[in-house]
Amino acid sequence: MKQITTFLRSKKLWIIVVLSAISLILLEPGRYTHPRVSQVDYKVEVFGISDSNGGHFSLDSNETRFDITPGEAESIVASWTFLTEKNIELKVGVSNWAVQDEEGSAEVVFGVRHNQLVLLNDLKTQPGNSRKLILEIDSGDVVSVEVNKGAILLEDIGYVEIKEHRPYDSLLVVFYVILFWIVFVWFVFNGFWLASIPMIIGSLLIWYSIFAYDMLFNASQLLWSILFFSLSASLFSIVVYPSNKWIRFGLKTLFITLSFLACTLPFVVVLYTLEFGKPLEQTDYFGFYQTDIRESISYLQFNSPKAWWLILLALPILFIPLAFIKKRINKLNPATFVVSAILVIMTFIFEIPEMITVASDSYGDYTKELELFKENLRSFDEFEGQLQVSQKKDNEVYFIIIGEAQSKFHMSQYGYVRPTTPHLDSLSKLANTVIFSNAISSNTHTAMSLSAAFTQANYSNQLDFQKSPSIINILNAADVHTYWISNQLKYGIWDNAVSAIAEQCEEQVFINSNMGKTNETDDFDGALLEVIKRKLKSANEGTHVVFIHLMGSHGQYNKRYPDEFRMFDHDDFKSLFGNLNPYEVNPYDNSMIYNDFVVSEMVHLLDSLPFERKAMFYFADHAEDLITKHGHSSSLFNFRMIHIPTYFWFSDGYIETYSSQIANLKENSTKTFTNDLVYDAILGLTGISTKASNSEGFNVFSAGYQLQDSSIKILNHIDYTDPGHSVYHEEINLQKLSNDSLIPFNIFPHRVDSKGMLYEMTAKGFDGIECDLVFNDTVFEIGHGGEEYMSGNSLEDYLNSSVGDSLTFIWLDIKNLRNDNIDKVLERLIVLDDQYKIKQRVFVESDTKSLLFDKIRKAGFNTSYYLPTDISQIEDRAILKSKAIEVANQINKQGVSSISFDASLYNWVTVYLSPIIPQELEWHTWQLGLELQQTNFIDNLHKQPFASDNRIKTLLIRVHSPYYL
Ligand SMILES: [Zn+2]
C-alpha cells in the first residue's frame, strides 16, 4: 500500500503522465495515424463524370481520401483495382464541411462492392455518420463504390477513405509516446537536462524529416525518433562513465560528431521541405552525386533564405555544450540500454523510412548505372567493328563547344534587353553562321543532359544511354583524333557520366585542378584557348574533333568572369525588368557576356588554323532560371530551365564542300531541336556514317529532319507541349496567326511598359506595341502613373533603343493630356518626329474631352479618343443613345482620326455610335481576356464578335512577360 502511495506521489511519474497526455492530445492517434495505401498499389477509374451530369473526383493532399461529388442525374462510380495483397480499411461518409443546418443535412448515398460481393447497398450517410469496412484484398481484386445524391442540398461532398488496416498502429503510438517521456525523464533526472536539449531537437528533426515523406503521422516516425533519443542517451551515459578525464573527453568528441552526422540528412530534408513544400527526390540525389559539394552548397545558397544558413551553422553548436558536461556517473543504469536494445530490434520489424531508403537507393542506383555505362563504353571501343563506322581521312577540324547553364532568355541574340552577346550578334549577320531559334535541353542536370547528348540514346528512340555507343566511340572507330578540353571538374564527388565519356578521347586536359570536391575553378574559361592552341599546334592533317567543356555560367556566377567583364553592376532594374527583381542577374549577365567573348575567341582561333574545312558547333547543357530562382533543379522544374542557345559556324571551305548539308541546316534552324540529338548532329556535321545511327529525322543536317513537338518529353516525363509551356504556345499561336487570313486587323501586345518587355515582344516578332505615357513637362515618361508603375524609361529611350526602328506602330496611351499641357505635348511630339520619324508610326490616344486635342491631329499625328469603358455597364437604351450623341459631338469637334475602346463596348459602338460618326474613323480595341499563351487562343479570337470586322485596325491582347510593369 505504502509502495503504491510512494509511486503515485512520485514527481517523475506525473511529469511523464502530463507530457504524454499533452503529446497524445497534439498527435491525436487514430485520427492522423493513417498508413496510406500507396498509389502504386492500385489503379483507380471513375465513371459518370460529365458536363451534363456534373460530379467530381479527386485525391486529397495526404493521399488517403478521395473527395467525391455525386452527379446530378446518375451515379458516379469509382472503382479501384488493387495490385498487391493488403488488408485495407475503407470508410465512406460525407465531408465535415458539408451543410448541416435547420433545413437539413447534406446526405450522400453509397453502395460498395468487393469483386461481385455487395457489401453496402444504398447506405445513407450524413456528416458525422460514416461507415468503415475492413477488406482483405488479393492482388487483382476490384472494389467499386457507387455514389449518389441523397437529400437535395448544394454542398454534398462525399468521401471514400482508403488506408491500410493496421489495428495496432494507434496503440503503438501511445506506447512510443509514453516510452519516449520515460526515457527522457529518467535521463533528465540523472542530471543531464542540458544534454537532453540537443537530443530532443535531433529527435524532432528525425521525426519531421520522416514525416515529410508520407505527410501522415505513423508509428514508425515515432519509433525512429525515440530510437535516436534513447540511443543517444545510452551512449552519452557510457561516454561520461570513465574516470579518466581525457578518455571521457575523447569519447565525448566522438559522440558529438556522430550525433551531429546523424542529424545532417534529416536537417537537409527538413530545410528542403520547408523551402519547396516537398522532400528531396531521387533526381535531387542524382544531381548531387554527379556534381560536387560546392555546387550543392551553392545551390542551397541560391534557394534558401539566409536564416536557414544560420540554423545550419547552429546545428553543430547545439551539440558542443555536451563536451563541457563535467558530471560523471557512478553506475550505468541498465534501463536505457534495455529500451535502446528493444527499439533497435523493433526498427527491423518496421519498414525503413522513405527518407533513408530514397537517399541510399539513389546512391546504389547511381554507382551501378555509372559502372554499367563505363563498361559499355569500353566494350564499344574494343569491338568497334560492330559499329560499322566509315573511315574519315579528310583534313578537317571541328570544335564542339559545350556551354554551361546558358539561358537563351539572357542573350541579346535571342531578344534579351541587355547586350550580353555582342560577338554572336555580329557573327549572326554573316552567312557562315547558323543559329537555332528553338533549341531546348532534354534534361536540366549537366551529367544527364550530356550523357543523352553524346550517346546514340535520345528520348524518341527510347534507347538506354548506358547501353548505347557514344559519339567518341564512333569518332575513334573512324580514326578521328579526339580531344576533351575542359574547365569543369574531372570527377564529381562520386565520378560522373561526363568524365566517363571524356575518358574515351585520345587526349584529355582538365585545367581545373580542384579534383572532385568543388567547382572552384583555377582559371576562367578563356584559359582554355592556350590549351587548345597548344594541342593543335602540330596538327595539320587528318580529322580533329575538339570537345570544349566550358564553366560558362555555372552557379556562383560572380566567379565565372575576370573583373574587366563586370559590365553590369547598376540597378536600373525597373526600367529593364518591370516589377521583377531577377536573382543575381548582374553577375549572371556578366558571365554571359564573358562567355560570348570566349566563344568568339574560339571561333577566331579555329578560323586561324591551317585547315580548309572547319566548323564549330555550340550548344548548352541546360539553361538557368533566374526568375523563380530555382536554378536548374529538375525537381523544381520550369520551362525556363531548358531554352538554350545552339549555333554553328563554318569556314568558307566547309561551306563549299558541304553546301547541301548547310542548306538543310539553315532550313531546319527554326524547327525544334533537343540537345539529346547532338550525337546525330555531330554525325551529320562530320559526314561519318555508322550502323549505330538514328533515322534521318533526327539529323539536323538532313532534309528529312523533323521532330514532332508532341512527342518530345523533357526529363523523360514532362510534355514539351504542356499547356503550362507558355513560350511554346505563344510561338505556335503567332505562327498560326501569321497564316490566318480571316483576321483583318493587326494584333499587338498591351502595356509594354518596361524595356525588357519591349525587347521580348520584338524578339517574338511583334512590330507594334501599346505603352502608357505620363507627360512630365518636357518628357514622355513610360508607365501608367503612381511612382510604383513608372518604369523610369522615356519614350525617347524606346525610340533610341536598338529595336526602336523595328517598331512600325506605337500606341501611345497618354494618361495626363489636359488643356494646359497640350501645346507642350505637341511640341515634344514634333521634336521626336524630327529625330525618329514617328508621325506615321504613332497614334496618340487620350480620354481627354478637351477640344484642343484637334491641334495634335492638325499637326499631322494620328489621334484617338479613348471611349469611357463604363458605358458598357449601362442598360437603358435611351441613356446609351444619348451617350452616343454626346461622344459623337465631342469627337467631331476634336477631329480625331480614330476611336479606341475596350472590346466590351463593341456592341454599343456598332449599334449606337457608328451610324453618327464619320465612316473614315479608324477603330482600335483591346480584349485582355485574350492571352497569347492560351492553348485555345486562336479559337477564342475567332469567337470574338468583332473577329471579322474590317473597320477594326488594331487589337491589343495580353502577352505575359516576366518584365511586365
Ligand atoms: Zn550544367
Side-chain angles (χ1 to χ4, degrees):
M1 190 63 201
K2 196 182 172 199
Q3 272 176 334
I4 294 172
T5 331
T6 328
F7 176 68
L8 284 177
R9 279 193 186 153
S10 148
K11 218 193 314 175
K12 293 180 200 172
L13 172 72
W14 289 106
I15 293 174
I16 292 167
V17 169
V18 170
L19 287 173
S20 304
I22 295 173
S23 314
L24 290 170
I25 288 167
L26 288 175
L27 295 174
E28 282 192 68
R31 177 151 181 208
Y32 293 114
T33 40
H34 298 313
R36 71 166 169 234
V37 178
S38 154
Q39 284 190 61
V40 295
D41 292 334
Y42 61 78
K43 276 194 206 124
V44 60
E45 276 181 294
V46 191
F47 308 93
I49 296 178
S50 67
D51 281 348
S52 55
N53 191 36
H56 172 80
F57 180 89
S58 66
L59 182 57
D60 79 353
S61 57
N62 70 13
E63 296 181 7
T64 50
R65 227 165 137 139
F66 298 86
D67 291 316
I68 305 180
T69 311
E72 292 299 323
E74 47 166 2
S75 48
I76 306 290
V77 178
S79 124
W80 286 261
T81 308
F82 287 88
L83 310 170
T84 47
E85 213 178 290
K86 253 189 181 114
N87 284 350
I88 63 161
E89 248 175 63
L90 182 136
K91 195 158 133 189
V92 293
V94 180
S95 293
N96 279 332
W97 58 82
V99 169
Q100 236 179 327
D101 56 24
E102 315 86 65
E103 290 184 31
S105 166
E107 192 174 75
V108 179
V109 182
F110 288 95
V112 178
R113 278 165 180 259
H114 179 191
N115 295 334
Q116 291 313 308
L117 189 68
V118 178
L119 301 176
L120 288 178
N121 204 1
D122 282 342
L123 175 84
K124 292 192 169 93
T125 58
Q126 277 131 16
N129 148 27
S130 56
R131 177 70 71 85
K132 189 154 83 179
L133 300 166
I134 312 289
L135 307 177
E136 272 178 45
I137 300 287
D138 279 326
S139 175
D141 278 13
V142 177
V143 173
S144 54
V145 177
E146 185 182 337
V147 190
N148 276 304
K149 270 177 176 284
I152 299 166
L153 277 170
L154 277 177
E155 292 177 56
D156 50 0
I157 308 158
Y159 67 83
V160 177
E161 194 170 75
I162 296 181
K163 310 185 278 179
E164 237 185 287
H165 178 57
R166 287 205 202 151
Y168 306 113
D169 248 45
S170 300
L171 292 176
L172 276 176
V173 167
V174 177
F175 172 68
Y176 289 142
V177 166
I178 295 172
L179 197 60
F180 183 85
W181 290 120
I182 290 175
V183 178
F184 173 79
V185 166
W186 174 86
F187 191 63
V188 169
F189 277 79
N190 263 296
F192 296 124
W193 66 270
L194 186 61
S196 70
I197 295 171
M199 291 173 197
I200 282 264
I201 294 178
S203 308
L204 285 176
L205 274 178
I206 287 170
W207 179 80
Y208 185 80
S209 56
I210 303 176
F211 173 79
Y213 279 93
D214 16 60
M215 288 316 280
L216 285 168
F217 169 51
N218 62 46
S220 96
Q221 294 150 14
L222 275 178
L223 176 65
W224 282 80
S225 50
I226 172 182
L227 177 72
F228 175 81
F229 189 92
S230 49
L231 273 180
S232 312
S234 318
L235 281 174
F236 193 72
S237 43
I238 296 173
V239 160
V240 292
Y241 184 67
S243 48
N244 181 310
K245 74 170 179 179
W246 291 111
I247 295 178
R248 236 173 31 231
F249 185 77
L251 285 175
K252 274 190 212 166
T253 315
L254 186 69
F255 170 79
I256 290 164
T257 317
L258 286 176
S259 312
F260 170 63
L261 288 179
C263 288
T264 310
L265 176 65
F267 184 77
V268 172
V269 172
V270 170
L271 184 96
Y272 192 92
T273 309
L274 291 178
E275 188 60 23
F276 302 116
K278 61 180 205 42
L280 288 153
E281 293 169 9
Q282 189 174 41
T283 52
D284 299 305
Y285 286 106
F286 264 50
F288 175 71
Y289 297 139
Q290 58 204 200
T291 51
D292 48 73
I293 292 171
R294 186 81 199 195
E295 171 159 357
S296 309
I297 290 176
S298 80
Y299 173 71
L300 277 176
Q301 272 173 344
F302 196 118
N303 290 294
S304 323
K306 294 264 180 310
W308 284 114
W309 285 94
L310 294 176
I311 298 173
L312 183 63
L313 290 174
L315 197 62
I317 295 170
L318 197 67
F319 289 93
I320 287 171
L322 301 188
F324 302 99
I325 290 174
K326 287 223 172 66
K327 184 182 155 66
R328 207 172 74 73
I329 53 169
N330 297 321
K331 65 175 202 309
L332 291 169
N333 187 320
T336 12
F337 299 112
V338 174
V339 171
S340 304
I342 294 172
L343 289 170
V344 169
I345 295 163
M346 291 202 66
T347 49
F348 284 104
I349 304 168
F350 270 101
E351 284 167 58
I352 309 269
E354 223 178 317
M355 175 195 65
I356 298 170
T357 53
V358 170
S360 63
D361 292 356
S362 314
Y363 178 64
D365 290 353
Y366 175 73
T367 46
K368 210 162 49 196
E369 284 182 17
L370 187 64
E371 223 18 75
L372 184 76
F373 184 46
K374 284 181 172 170
E375 216 166 276
N376 164 68
L377 291 178
R378 278 194 290 269
S379 88
F380 277 116
D381 264 351
E382 209 170 308
F383 306 104
E384 60 180 38
Q386 58 178 316
L387 298 171
Q388 296 178 19
V389 178
S390 62
Q391 295 295 294
K392 179 90 182 166
K393 298 289 180 203
D394 315 275
N395 295 342
E396 293 174 357
V397 189
Y398 297 92
F399 282 5
I400 312 293
I401 307 180
I402 308 145
E404 172 62 57
Q406 300 284 298
S407 165
K408 155 180 143 174
F409 300 124
H410 282 261
M411 298 174 68
S412 42
Q413 176 58 34
Y414 288 97
Y416 184 49
V417 59
R418 282 174 159 173
T420 48
T421 53
H423 295 285
L424 182 60
D425 296 347
S426 34
L427 208 59
S428 70
K429 299 192 176 87
L430 307 175
N432 47 4
T433 306
V434 179
I435 297 183
F436 270 59
S437 51
N438 288 309
I440 52 164
S441 66
S442 62
N443 205 297
T444 64
H445 291 290
T446 309
M448 292 177 232
S449 161
L450 294 185
S451 47
F454 289 129
T455 60
Q456 193 193 351
N458 59 48
Y459 176 73
S460 308
N461 67 21
Q462 285 291 311
L463 293 176
D464 190 349
F465 87 87
Q466 281 122 359
K467 296 179 188 146
S468 306
S470 80
I471 191 67
I472 304 179
N473 284 132
I474 308 294
L475 296 173
N476 287 343
D479 253 359
V480 168
H481 301 284
T482 51
Y483 310 78
W484 190 279
I485 295 171
S486 171
N487 193 24
Q488 294 220 355
L489 287 165
K490 182 154 189 193
Y491 302 108
I493 304 176
W494 286 282
D495 199 347
N496 69 40
V498 180
S499 48
I501 294 171
E503 266 171 21
Q504 296 178 276
C505 285
E506 245 172 64
E507 297 200 44
Q508 308 147 38
V509 182
F510 287 80
I511 61 168
N512 189 341
S513 59
N514 288 304
M515 262 219 295
K517 295 294 175 283
T518 82
N519 61 39
E520 202 73 46
T521 76
D522 294 324
D523 291 297
F524 300 117
D525 284 338
L528 295 170
L529 284 157
E530 275 311 307
V531 181
I532 304 167
K533 229 183 267 177
R534 203 171 64 228
K535 283 286 157 195
L536 293 177
K537 200 163 62 190
S538 50
N540 46 25
E541 50 187 56
T543 301
H544 303 260
V545 177
V546 187
F547 293 87
I548 303 161
H549 197 183
L550 302 177
M551 202 55 159
S553 301
H554 196 295
Q556 292 207 321
Y557 315 134
N558 59 351
K559 301 224 167 112
R560 302 290 165 247
Y561 50 88
D563 254 3
E564 61 269 30
F565 283 84
R566 192 152 28 86
M567 310 275 189
F568 307 109
D569 56 2
H570 43 94
D571 54 0
D572 50 349
F573 280 3
K574 205 163 205 175
S575 68
L576 295 176
F577 309 127
N579 288 323
L580 189 82
N581 188 359
Y583 177 81
E584 297 273 303
V585 71
N586 286 336
Y588 185 81
D589 288 351
N590 290 334
S591 72
M592 294 300 279
I593 203 167
Y594 180 60
N595 191 77
D596 178 62
F597 164 77
V598 169
V599 176
S600 84
E601 285 299 297
M602 284 174 182
V603 172
H604 289 149
L605 170 63
L606 178 61
D607 202 12
S608 71
L609 293 173
F611 288 80
E612 283 290 295
R613 293 185 296 275
K614 293 169 283 200
M616 186 278 294
F617 172 20
Y618 176 93
F619 71 97
D621 61 345
H622 52 78
E624 188 90 340
D625 163 40
L626 290 91
I627 286 175
T628 52
K629 307 179 189 181
H630 288 169
H632 55 265
S633 164
S634 61
S635 66
L636 304 168
F637 177 81
N638 70 54
F639 287 97
R640 287 185 79 88
M641 297 176 185
I642 57 162
H643 286 269
I644 53 166
T646 295
Y647 51 93
F648 297 82
W649 174 90
F650 306 99
S651 69
D652 295 342
Y654 185 96
I655 295 177
E656 268 164 43
T657 316
Y658 300 104
S659 57
S660 71
Q661 283 93 321
I662 299 274
N664 293 339
L665 187 74
K666 285 186 174 164
E667 184 69 31
N668 294 329
S669 65
T670 53
K671 296 179 185 165
T672 310
F673 172 75
T674 59
N675 70 356
D676 54 0
L677 305 184
V678 162
Y679 175 91
D680 309 83
I682 296 176
L683 288 180
L685 180 70
T686 54
I688 294 172
S689 68
T690 165
K691 191 183 153 210
S693 67
N694 296 311
S695 80
E696 290 292 285
F698 295 132
N699 180 355
V700 283
F701 286 88
S702 151
Y705 176 75
Q706 191 55 270
L707 203 55
Q708 283 297 326
D709 290 346
S710 56
S711 70
I712 300 171
K713 285 197 199 290
I714 319 296
L715 299 166
N716 292 322
H717 73 278
I718 296 165
D719 280 321
Y720 178 63
T721 55
D722 186 279
H725 191 181
S726 52
V727 175
Y728 171 74
H729 289 287
E730 285 179 354
E731 162 117 13
I732 294 293
N733 287 332
L734 284 170
Q735 265 170 32
K736 286 186 189 160
L737 210 53
S738 68
N739 298 324
D740 194 326
S741 54
L742 295 173
I743 298 294
F745 40 76
N746 285 320
I747 296 183
F748 296 126
H750 163 257
R751 195 181 285 179
V752 181
D753 284 359
S754 77
K755 223 166 159 186
M757 187 169 172
L758 169 69
Y759 274 71
E760 253 192 347
M761 295 304 125
T762 48
K764 282 183 201 299
F766 287 110
D767 60 354
I769 57 156
E770 185 258 1
C771 61
D772 303 303
L773 300 178
V774 174
F775 185 70
N776 185 3
D777 222 18
T778 52
V779 186
F780 288 112
E781 292 179 347
I782 293 184
H784 53 105
E787 208 178 319
E788 205 183 325
Y789 295 107
M790 295 310 292
S791 68
N793 293 304
S794 66
L795 178 57
E796 189 161 4
D797 290 334
Y798 271 29
L799 295 168
N800 198 20
S801 73
S802 61
V803 297
D805 285 345
S806 68
L807 296 173
T808 61
F809 179 83
I810 313 173
W811 175 321
L812 305 175
D813 177 358
I814 302 182
K815 294 295 184 192
N816 64 337
L817 196 68
R818 299 181 309 262
N819 266 339
D820 58 2
N821 66 6
I822 276 186
D823 288 331
K824 281 190 170 171
V825 163
L826 180 57
E827 210 175 290
R828 185 68 191 153
L829 284 170
I830 292 170
V831 170
L832 290 175
D833 182 51
D834 284 345
Q835 218 171 336
Y836 301 105
K837 298 282 161 284
I838 60 169
K839 217 171 251 177
Q840 301 313 312
R841 303 196 274 158
V842 304
F843 143 112
V844 180
E845 183 201 39
S846 172
D847 61 356
T848 182
K849 293 189 164 119
S850 163
L851 300 184
L852 300 178
F853 199 18
D854 76 328
K855 282 191 175 179
I856 295 179
R857 175 68 190 136
K858 280 187 181 137
F861 291 91
N862 288 313
T863 56
S864 181
Y865 178 61
Y866 182 142
L867 304 181
T869 306
D870 52 14
I871 294 175
S872 65
Q873 307 295 321
I874 301 171
E875 277 170 16
D876 188 309
R877 289 159 145 252
I879 303 178
L880 287 170
K881 203 168 175 186
S882 72
K883 281 277 173 199
I885 295 168
E886 194 184 307
V887 167
N889 281 339
Q890 180 199 316
I891 58 181
N892 280 336
K893 286 182 194 149
Q894 287 181 321
V896 293
S897 57
S898 44
I899 50 169
S900 42
F901 52 88
D902 186 281
S904 62
L905 288 180
Y906 176 71
N907 194 38
W908 175 74
V909 171
T910 46
V911 176
Y912 295 92
L913 189 64
S914 168
I916 54 174
I917 56 171
Q919 291 310 295
E920 68 271 16
L921 279 192
E922 289 186 348
W923 295 11
H924 304 268
T925 187
W926 58 90
Q927 171 50 282
L928 302 183
L930 287 169
E931 300 173 28
L932 188 60
Q933 63 184 6
Q934 290 162 338
T935 50
N936 57 354
F937 170 79
I938 298 289
D939 286 344
N940 277 349
L941 177 64
H942 282 285
K943 278 187 202 143
Q944 299 296 322
F946 55 82
S948 54
D949 191 333
N950 54 21
R951 287 170 297 186
I952 291 180
K953 296 291 172 241
T954 329
L955 167 69
L956 299 180
I957 56 163
R958 198 181 284 284
V959 183
H960 288 269
S961 160
Y963 309 137
Y964 185 77
L965 177 70

